[in-house]
Amino acid sequence: MAELNREEKIQKFLDMVEASDNIVFFGGAGVSTESGIPDFRSVDGLYNQEYDYPPETILSHTFYRRNPQEFYRFYRNKMLCLTAQPNMAHKKLAELETAGKVKAVVTQNIDGLHQLAGSKKVLELHGSVHRNYCESCHQMYNAEYVQKSQGIPQCESCGGDLKPDVVLYEEGLDNHTIQEAVYYISNADMLIIGGTSLAVYPAAGLIDYYRGKKLVLINKTATARDGVADLVLSESIGELFGKIVVS
């Protein structure tokens, strides 16, 4: 069978979406980079100038415990992009959910843009910057509170230190969130994976639960799973989703 050209691939994707009514979307950092949120793994000169450690070290549980001041300096500077707005991928997924076609969004991102766009069923594998809790009394605080604080943010009620409700390196994922993701992925008739190289485990391993025949990978660079996908698109995810007409 002849290889599909770019336009044929795009049309096949649109036809798949049109014909499906149980879609699950699994997204990574590439979904949010189009909203201006940098992928912290792409280490640039700025990191090298400002920080003495690589992002993966700073965002580890061990570093957070040993050097919370430096953790929060990086966290405020690089992880709290509170002015970012949903792009067309976020918006179309919300529209498709309202239309009854998308059943769940499973995301590795912590920025809350899917909810801001209107998605209701969002499974946040790595937590959210919008939830922060006191490690002493467990009172919750929003991202704006952390952003405006100085040094290590502290609880107004008891003075305890706040911790973001995000999964740091060396920490485990939330079991309930994992179980829900497995349920939706294993029951989906179409699984769209976008903006991720599928390199971060255990999150990437969740796609092994998909049993359908419509596995679509959308990423600007190759992924480890391209060979098992039913359709691979090297496209801007926002531009591609912008072509979807939700009826």
Side-chain angles (χ1 to χ4, degrees):
M1 185 175 172
E3 173 75 16
L4 299 178
N5 64 35
R6 179 172 176 260
E7 292 304 317
E8 289 170 336
K9 286 183 177 181
I10 291 172
Q11 189 56 53
K12 183 177 180 180
F13 169 71
L14 298 175
D15 292 344
M16 281 177 157
V17 172
E18 179 65 28
S20 302
D21 61 3
N22 186 351
I23 302 169
V24 171
F25 179 81
F26 182 101
V31 179
S32 292
T33 52
E34 294 187 28
S35 289
I37 294 179
D39 179 357
F40 68 82
R41 281 187 194 82
S42 54
V43 180
D44 57 22
L46 189 63
Y47 291 128
N48 297 333
Q49 293 163 24
E50 280 195 63
Y51 303 100
D52 295 331
Y53 307 90
E56 285 85 353
T57 299
I58 297 174
L59 295 174
S60 70
H61 180 84
T62 299
F63 191 92
Y64 170 77
R65 290 293 176 213
R66 289 178 178 170
N67 198 342
Q69 287 270 6
E70 183 68 0
F71 169 88
Y72 269 111
R73 188 167 79 90
F74 179 89
Y75 183 79
R76 286 189 188 90
N77 204 8
K78 293 295 180 185
M79 310 303 286
L80 293 182
C81 304
L82 303 185
T83 58
Q85 293 297 311
N87 61 54
M88 193 56 73
H90 299 107
K91 293 173 183 176
K92 286 292 182 178
L93 285 166
E95 287 182 36
L96 287 165
E97 183 187 45
T98 300
K101 295 171 77 66
V102 164
K103 301 305 181 187
V105 170
V106 182
T107 181
Q108 299 176 85
N109 297 332
I110 59 176
D111 48 54
L113 290 180
H114 285 293
Q115 291 94 327
L116 191 58
S119 288
K120 299 290 188 286
K121 192 63 183 181
V122 182
L123 303 177
E124 296 173 311
L125 296 175
H126 296 154
S128 173
V129 299
H130 296 284
R131 297 187 302 271
N132 304 273
Y133 62 91
C134 172
E135 295 201 79
S136 297
C137 74
H138 303 290
Q139 183 167 322
M140 299 298 293
Y141 290 86
N142 61 23
E144 287 77 13
Y145 181 87
V146 173
Q147 189 176 54
K148 290 174 183 175
S149 64
Q150 301 292 319
I152 303 166
Q154 294 182 321
C155 177
E156 290 182 325
S157 297
C158 76
D161 293 345
L162 302 193
K163 185 179 186 296
D165 188 15
V166 300
V167 179
L168 303 176
Y169 287 97
E170 304 165 351
E171 293 181 342
L173 304 190
D174 177 72
N175 281 332
H176 179 69
T177 305
I178 287 286
Q179 289 168 3
E180 273 203 282
V182 168
Y183 170 79
Y184 281 102
I185 290 171
S186 60
N187 285 287
D189 72 342
M190 181 175 186
L191 177 60
I192 304 171
I193 299 172
T196 173
S197 59
L198 293 173
V200 177
Y201 281 81
L206 289 172
I207 72 166
D208 293 333
Y209 290 95
Y210 179 62
R211 297 286 180 263
K213 302 294 185 186
K214 298 179 188 172
L215 175 58
V216 179
L217 293 183
I218 307 164
N219 201 50
K220 290 183 178 178
T221 58
T223 80
R225 300 299 185 94
D226 285 3
V228 300
D230 299 295
L231 184 62
V232 178
L233 294 132
S234 302
E235 302 286 334
S236 153
I237 192 163
E239 289 178 18
L240 181 63
F241 268 78
K243 299 177 187 294
I244 297 173
V245 176
V246 183
S247 53

